[in-house]
Amino acid sequence: GSILIILLWMLLAMSILCISFAKSVRVEANAAGNTRMLTSAYYLAQAGINETIYKLIVYRVEGGLTGRGQDPSATELEPKDIDLGKVTLHTDIGDVNVEIADEDGKINVNRANKDLLLSLLLSLGLEAERADIVSDSILDWIDPDEDYHLNGAETDYYLGLENPYRSKNASMDNIEELLLVRGVDAKLFYGHTFQDEAGTIQHVPGLNRCVTVYGTSAGININAAPYNVLLAVGFPPDMARDIIQQRSEKPFKDNQDFSMRVPEAPGMEMLKAPIITRPPVQSSFFSLVSTAQLKNSQLRKTIFAVVRLNARLPLKHSIVYWNENYFMQDNDSQTLQEQE
């Protein structure tokens, strides 16, 4: 009887060891599988970036396939997805969606004045007091001195934070610097969703959709400006929607074309920033958000890049910004009020 009891205890101990070992093996196998899938998603997202850059070069730098003396029917490459601002790739292991944004359609935060910044923040839903604080703080962040704007913040404010740092007092190198500015939080920067009184999910875009640090012009390209940027510049909501609809069918050729097609538009002296009617083929900086999702998996990988097109460069482009840990609000459920 004693021997039987000892054997039972030994069997129990061995069973516990086996179960523990099996669990450890399963965890390691799952971790290896997740690493493999994440790696696959990463290279899939990178492929989306490269494919989109290729299309941008073909249709923005080289003038399309016909510009190179080739027959457009000889390839499936179409300019339509570039013009619509979205490239989609379907592969055996997953799909990639690449959002394209012309940086010339955004507000250059390094060149914007108080009036334009304030108008943009109000269009994004900020209350007037906070919008005044944020706009003054942005100006204080990029100006070269320690002098306060009325409601701004300089180094002494930031040194008083739990994790202190100094005000940059220079132009921003990337828009993520806005997250260091007083009053700018993740909700304002990335955008957010909310449920209105009718129960409909609405999306408010963030500053990352509306501002840029690239380019040398303070003007806004009317052929690429997002809805909230059009509002910030001074266009009424109905007119901003009409501009977006018209340019999606046919980009504005020049200022005269814009004046003819939008005859009631405010004059240049009434707008908060100059308006440029630059065709998409003349733009240089494009931001690309490439999101890959593997089949039969909820795993996603997003890469954000800003590419500069230049026919004089050896590869006809250069990547000026690359972020492999990019966060962006999920826009699948967006119901943009202005586009309904």
Side-chain angles (χ1 to χ4, degrees):
S2 299
I3 294 175
L4 179 60
I5 292 175
I6 293 173
L7 289 174
L8 289 175
W9 277 108
M10 291 178 62
L11 181 61
L12 177 61
M14 292 179 64
S15 299
I16 293 174
L17 288 174
C18 290
I19 292 173
S20 177
F21 179 73
K23 183 178 180 181
S24 177
V25 170
R26 184 176 62 181
V27 170
E28 292 295 333
N30 289 339
N34 289 338
T35 300
R36 177 182 58 82
M37 289 191 296
L38 186 61
T39 302
S40 298
Y42 167 76
Y43 284 109
L44 198 58
Q46 193 176 74
I49 294 285
N50 292 332
E51 173 71 8
T52 304
I53 291 175
Y54 167 68
K55 289 188 175 185
L56 284 170
I57 291 174
V58 169
Y59 288 101
R60 296 292 184 257
V61 178
E62 298 182 351
L65 293 174
T66 53
R68 295 190 297 173
Q70 298 183 22
D71 180 9
S73 63
T75 179
E76 295 181 357
L77 184 61
E78 294 291 341
K80 186 176 181 181
D81 51 2
I82 292 292
D83 295 332
L84 295 178
K86 193 168 186 177
V87 171
T88 301
L89 299 179
H90 301 287
T91 71
D92 293 337
I93 63 172
D95 300 329
V96 190
N97 291 311
V98 184
E99 296 182 24
I100 309 167
D102 186 342
E103 294 294 284
D104 286 338
K106 301 176 183 179
I107 295 171
N108 191 319
V109 70
N110 289 325
R111 296 176 175 273
N113 57 31
K114 168 65 181 285
D115 196 20
L116 182 58
L117 289 173
L118 184 62
S119 181
L120 173 63
L121 293 165
L122 292 174
S123 77
L124 295 175
L126 258 64
E127 60 277 9
E129 182 178 354
R130 184 183 171 193
D132 203 35
I133 291 174
V134 173
S135 57
D136 277 353
S137 298
I138 291 174
L139 294 173
D140 280 335
W141 183 267
I142 63 179
D143 66 21
D145 54 52
E146 288 289 340
D147 297 331
Y148 277 86
H149 285 76
L150 182 61
N151 295 292
E154 288 287 1
T155 294
D156 57 351
Y157 170 83
Y158 297 111
L159 290 179
L161 300 177
E162 182 179 354
N163 297 308
Y165 51 90
R166 302 184 66 86
S167 178
K168 186 174 185 180
N169 293 333
S171 297
M172 294 186 184
D173 294 316
N174 57 70
I175 60 172
E176 279 80 6
E177 285 186 37
L178 285 168
L179 290 166
L180 298 173
V181 174
R182 178 189 180 191
V184 179
D185 55 15
K187 185 177 178 180
L188 173 59
F189 185 78
Y190 293 108
H192 65 281
T193 57
F194 68 95
Q195 192 172 26
D196 62 18
E197 296 179 353
T200 303
I201 301 297
Q202 301 289 346
H203 178 78
V204 178
L207 285 171
N208 63 339
R209 297 282 190 171
C210 302
V211 300
T212 184
V213 297
Y214 301 104
T216 58
S217 173
I220 307 299
N221 186 359
I222 200 70
N223 283 315
Y227 175 75
N228 287 85
V229 171
L230 293 176
L231 294 183
V233 171
F235 293 102
D238 290 341
M239 185 173 294
R241 286 190 285 265
D242 179 56
I243 290 172
I244 292 173
Q245 176 62 33
Q246 289 204 47
R247 77 187 187 197
S248 66
E249 299 172 358
K250 182 181 179 182
F252 298 104
K253 182 179 179 181
D254 49 34
N255 289 344
Q256 183 178 2
D257 182 35
F258 176 74
S259 300
M260 291 179 59
R261 293 164 59 185
V262 191
E264 298 180 358
M268 294 296 180
E269 69 282 353
M270 299 176 62
L271 298 176
K272 296 179 176 65
I275 291 299
I276 301 171
T277 50
R278 178 182 295 144
V281 293
Q282 295 181 8
S283 295
S284 299
F285 292 92
F286 294 88
S287 58
L288 312 177
V289 181
S290 178
T291 302
Q293 180 165 2
L294 301 182
K295 292 183 178 179
N296 303 319
S297 172
Q298 296 299 316
L299 189 147
R300 291 186 178 186
K301 178 63 179 178
T302 298
I303 297 176
F304 175 74
V306 178
V307 59
R308 180 187 182 188
L309 303 183
N310 190 331
R312 292 176 293 181
L313 296 173
L315 298 178
K316 299 184 179 180
H317 79 281
S318 62
I319 295 176
V320 298
Y321 182 78
W322 184 269
N323 188 344
E324 297 179 358
N325 299 297
Y326 189 72
F327 170 81
M328 178 172 286
Q329 287 282 353
D330 185 1
N331 296 327
D332 291 342
S333 62
Q334 290 179 16
T335 53
L336 299 179
Q337 185 76 24
E338 69 272 16
Q339 294 180 355
E340 291 182 346

